[in-house]
Amino acid sequence: MIKSHRSLPFHKIQLWIGRCFKDVALADQGFIWYLGHSGESCPRYAASNICGREVEGLPCDTTPITIVHSSGVFTHNIAWCHCQGSNPQQHLQLLRAGLFPASSTRPKTAFTFEVLDHFLIDALECKTSARSFFEKLTRLTNNAFPDTVPDRYRELMRVSRLWQDLKNRKWFGFGHDVESGPGPGDLALFCPSCPQPGINMPLCWEQKWLVMRRLVVDGNFTAQHMNMQEPELDICLSDGSGYMVTDTEYQAHLASAMESKERSTCSNHRAVNAANANRSNLRATGVGATACARHGCFVPHSVVDFQKGERQVFFNLLCDGLIHMNMDYSICKAIKHAANAIDTSLVIYDVGCQWNLHFTERVDNCSGLTLPDNTEIVAAVGKFQLSAHKLACFARYSLNFIIGAGQVDGEILETLWAPFNKISPTARSMSQAHRQEILDDHMRNSNWKKLVGIVKTLLQKYRRANKGIDDTKIPFEDLTRSLDVNKVSLWESDEKQAMEQHGEHLDIYLLKIDKAPTMAEMRLKLTETEYANTGKLGSVSWLMDSINLEDAQ
């Protein structure tokens, strides 16, 4: 039995004890896991045939190690290889055997590569926490007496972070013989369809409006983070290499940025401020992100934390002012990402009408904010949020009147926040570095699923667009022919000017509605007409008095 399990160390065996079968461990039956020789004993050991008979003793340097596998938690006696030329470091021998040690000095716990991969997929797809995952393994090991299973939850937390970081570096080309480590956003995926000169399109492109960068900006106040008790003990593995910005640079920006407060000229969106109560136990009250508006891919190195108090949000209308320093930083980072030769950026923002007023001034006055030369910003408001704005914002910030915007609603980030809200309770109490890695992992996973499904998605949109053209082309041409040619020419001229100059020129799309007369004006006019015809007050005055009496009751 021992010999047959040399390549099956994680089989669970049962022993007949005369009345029933009893679960027993392979180690208790004399199984020794020899490293470096495909399960065979190291030639440096004294010859000892242990197969098929009781084991009288273990090799002198055999080490009992707890091994966590996808089918449960096991304890095995590990015999190290001592052949000439082999690496004497135990943690490296474990790695060559497909076991990730929890320590590099005197390992007593190891995780199989398989269980670490399972945990990562469970965490990304099922939003499973490390505690829940290890509880599952505990019950798989001994469902009746889970307290007898060694607790390796803390080791799982540490090893899973290292495992994911190593895999990320390998996937993005930083795994072997690389002198420099990953820079800002180097461990992040971006949208395969959005224009990126030199990556998915030529560096020079004539149709500028076609390659306009389309970005949507939004905040999530569910992704909070509590204050750490001992922040000096926190260790970052990939600060700024994914989707979250580099913390030191971001904090320097917040420290130097001036709180630019301007009185709001639009509706008072107080609903947002309900989520912004000042809580002293929170380090961050949420996150703000920028994504591509068409496909919903997070932009690398552009996700920021919101701070508590007045500095926590991108605007604070309760103070009759606006604070944009958080989201300005995110937007500037997003615009600069792979922005070679792309001058125009469409920024869709819930409060775009206010944010855009002094954006260039804030960039000029803050050393932490920079933009590429010749950058042109076109601000817009998402279609769902636009209804809460003043009527004047409809024409000037509607996506329907911006060339190159396409058929987007500007609310795609709301759909991306839904799965993030499931991990927010778990990430809330993590260390700052661990939380950053978790958010990066889920954003990377979201972009990866967008990437592998982009062909099918684009084909569906292409068919839908062609059908829309076929359905509307003939009716539009018929309507055009039925109208006055001079009026059509004038409208086309006004539209061209509005598309080129934006701003108040877009007011041509506002409905021209005459203001309805007030009740007092209607009464005065009817009374004057009645008196002029008859020379005395009549039924109109009587009717008005009756209405007043009814209102007074």
Side-chain angles (χ1 to χ4, degrees):
M1 180 182 67
I2 299 299
K3 183 176 181 179
S4 62
H5 281 83
R6 286 179 177 175
S7 59
L8 302 171
F10 302 115
H11 268 196
K12 296 180 179 179
I13 61 175
Q14 293 180 325
L15 181 66
W16 178 257
I17 59 176
R19 292 176 299 175
C20 61
F21 284 99
K22 177 184 178 181
D23 292 335
V24 295
L26 280 170
D28 295 337
Q29 303 305 307
F31 177 81
I32 301 177
W33 191 334
Y34 292 98
L35 297 183
H37 299 278
S38 302
E40 298 290 341
S41 174
C42 179
R44 295 293 297 270
Y45 288 124
S48 175
N49 182 17
I50 64 172
C51 299
R53 63 177 179 84
E54 286 282 328
V55 176
E56 298 179 357
L58 298 175
C60 59
D61 66 342
T62 299
T63 305
I65 291 185
T66 300
I67 301 177
V68 182
H69 186 54
S70 57
S71 59
V73 181
F74 302 82
T75 299
H76 282 298
N77 296 309
I78 303 297
W80 312 100
C81 177
H82 294 280
C83 292
Q84 186 175 3
S86 65
N87 198 312
Q89 300 185 58
Q90 295 178 352
H91 69 284
L92 295 180
Q93 292 193 29
L94 288 173
L95 286 170
R96 291 192 179 96
L99 304 174
F100 200 106
S103 170
S104 59
T105 53
R106 295 183 300 274
K108 299 295 183 181
T109 301
F111 296 80
T112 63
F113 293 178
E114 179 181 323
V115 74
L116 293 175
D117 284 336
H118 282 195
F119 172 59
L120 293 181
I121 294 298
D122 276 8
L124 294 175
E125 287 298 330
C126 306
K127 315 305 176 187
T128 306
S129 65
R131 170 57 71 183
S132 298
F133 184 79
F134 191 79
E135 289 294 338
K136 180 188 75 171
L137 296 179
T138 300
R139 296 191 61 180
L140 289 175
T141 305
N142 193 330
N143 194 29
F145 304 100
D147 293 340
T148 63
V149 180
D151 186 4
R152 295 296 185 267
Y153 163 69
R154 294 176 64 87
E155 289 81 356
L156 175 63
M157 291 280 288
R158 181 172 63 254
V159 170
S160 62
R161 288 182 61 188
L162 294 171
W163 179 253
Q164 182 64 70
D165 184 65
L166 289 173
K167 298 199 75 169
N168 289 336
R169 291 170 183 266
K170 174 185 174 184
W171 289 337
F172 289 92
F174 295 94
H176 303 284
D177 301 327
V178 178
E179 295 181 359
S180 60
D186 284 347
L187 300 183
L189 297 168
F190 188 47
C191 181
S193 298
C194 285
Q196 300 176 69
I199 298 177
N200 58 6
M201 60 173 289
L203 290 174
C204 298
W205 196 272
E206 295 181 358
Q207 296 172 299
K208 294 295 183 180
W209 66 268
L210 189 60
V211 297
M212 175 174 60
R213 182 68 64 83
R214 303 165 184 86
L215 303 172
V216 59
V217 181
D218 195 22
N220 182 351
F221 294 100
T222 303
Q224 300 172 344
H225 185 227
M226 299 178 64
N227 288 322
M228 295 179 59
Q229 294 182 353
E230 298 178 291
E232 66 277 3
L233 300 180
D234 200 14
I235 298 177
C236 294
L237 299 179
S238 56
D239 183 25
S241 298
Y243 297 88
M244 300 288 289
V245 297
T246 305
D247 186 64
T248 53
E249 297 178 0
Y250 181 52
Q251 295 303 326
H253 159 70
L254 294 179
S256 62
M258 297 295 294
E259 293 188 3
S260 175
K261 298 181 180 180
E262 310 97 18
R263 185 173 299 276
S264 173
T265 60
C266 188
S267 301
N268 193 349
H269 306 281
R270 294 179 180 269
V272 176
N273 295 281
N276 300 333
N278 184 8
R279 301 179 182 179
S280 59
N281 65 324
L282 294 181
R283 187 195 68 85
T285 58
V287 297
T290 304
C292 69
R294 281 188 176 273
H295 315 103
C297 290
F298 291 99
V299 181
H301 200 244
S302 66
V303 182
V304 299
D305 277 325
F306 294 147
Q307 288 71 46
K308 61 185 179 182
E310 291 186 356
R311 299 168 67 88
Q312 68 182 329
V313 289
F314 40 89
F315 67 97
N316 191 337
L317 290 167
L318 290 178
C319 297
D320 293 327
L322 299 170
I323 304 175
H324 302 287
M325 55 185 164
N326 299 94
M327 294 312 301
D328 283 350
Y329 194 83
S330 173
I331 293 171
C332 288
K333 292 294 184 181
I335 291 176
K336 289 191 295 183
H337 178 74
N340 296 330
I342 298 182
D343 297 333
T344 306
S345 294
L346 170 65
V347 179
I348 307 172
Y349 193 5
D350 293 349
V351 289
C353 58
Q354 302 300 305
W355 164 82
N356 188 51
L357 293 178
H358 302 282
F359 173 65
T360 55
E361 297 177 14
R362 295 195 297 272
V363 172
D364 294 337
N365 296 331
C366 183
S367 59
L369 302 177
T370 57
L371 289 173
D373 296 336
N374 303 320
T375 297
E376 178 185 357
I377 303 294
V378 179
V381 178
K383 293 183 178 180
F384 178 78
Q385 299 291 340
L386 190 58
S387 59
H389 287 242
K390 290 185 177 180
L391 183 61
C393 293
F394 173 75
R396 300 187 183 187
Y397 297 98
S398 174
L399 291 164
N400 296 332
F401 309 133
I402 298 177
I403 291 181
Q407 293 297 318
V408 296
D409 54 23
E411 307 290 349
I412 197 168
L413 260 177
E414 299 293 345
T415 65
L416 301 180
W417 290 140
F420 273 79
N421 293 340
K422 297 179 181 179
I423 66 170
S424 295
T426 303
R428 190 172 188 265
S429 57
M430 292 179 176
S431 70
Q432 180 181 349
H434 192 188
R435 170 179 174 268
Q436 183 184 67
E437 294 159 15
I438 291 296
L439 295 182
D440 281 343
D441 288 342
H442 284 79
M443 292 179 191
R444 188 183 299 108
N445 180 65
S446 175
N447 282 13
W448 169 255
K449 290 193 288 187
K450 296 277 186 180
L451 187 150
V452 297
I454 195 68
V455 174
K456 181 179 179 180
T457 300
L458 292 180
L459 286 176
Q460 291 175 345
K461 291 184 176 182
Y462 179 72
R463 296 190 186 101
R464 191 185 310 127
N466 283 337
K467 184 177 183 302
I469 293 175
D470 295 338
D471 293 342
T472 58
K473 184 177 180 179
I474 295 178
F476 177 77
E477 292 175 347
D478 293 341
L479 176 63
T480 303
R481 285 192 295 267
S482 66
L483 299 174
D484 188 334
V485 176
N486 294 329
K487 285 187 176 182
V488 172
S489 178
L490 178 62
W491 293 340
E492 290 177 346
S493 176
D494 291 342
E495 180 194 28
K496 182 179 180 181
Q497 184 181 19
M499 293 299 100
E500 292 176 351
Q501 302 184 22
H502 304 290
E504 62 183 11
H505 298 282
L506 288 168
D507 290 343
I508 61 172
Y509 292 108
L510 289 176
L511 296 176
K512 301 296 190 297
I513 303 177
D514 295 332
K515 184 178 180 181
T518 64
M519 178 66 73
E521 292 173 343
M522 293 175 62
R523 178 179 178 177
L524 178 61
K525 183 177 181 180
L526 291 174
T527 303
E528 290 177 347
T529 303
E530 182 183 49
Y531 185 81
N533 293 335
T534 62
K536 59 181 180 178
L537 299 178
S539 58
V540 173
S541 298
W542 175 81
L543 181 61
M544 291 299 178
D545 291 337
S546 300
I547 293 175
N548 292 335
L549 287 174
E550 183 180 10
D551 292 339
Q553 292 179 354

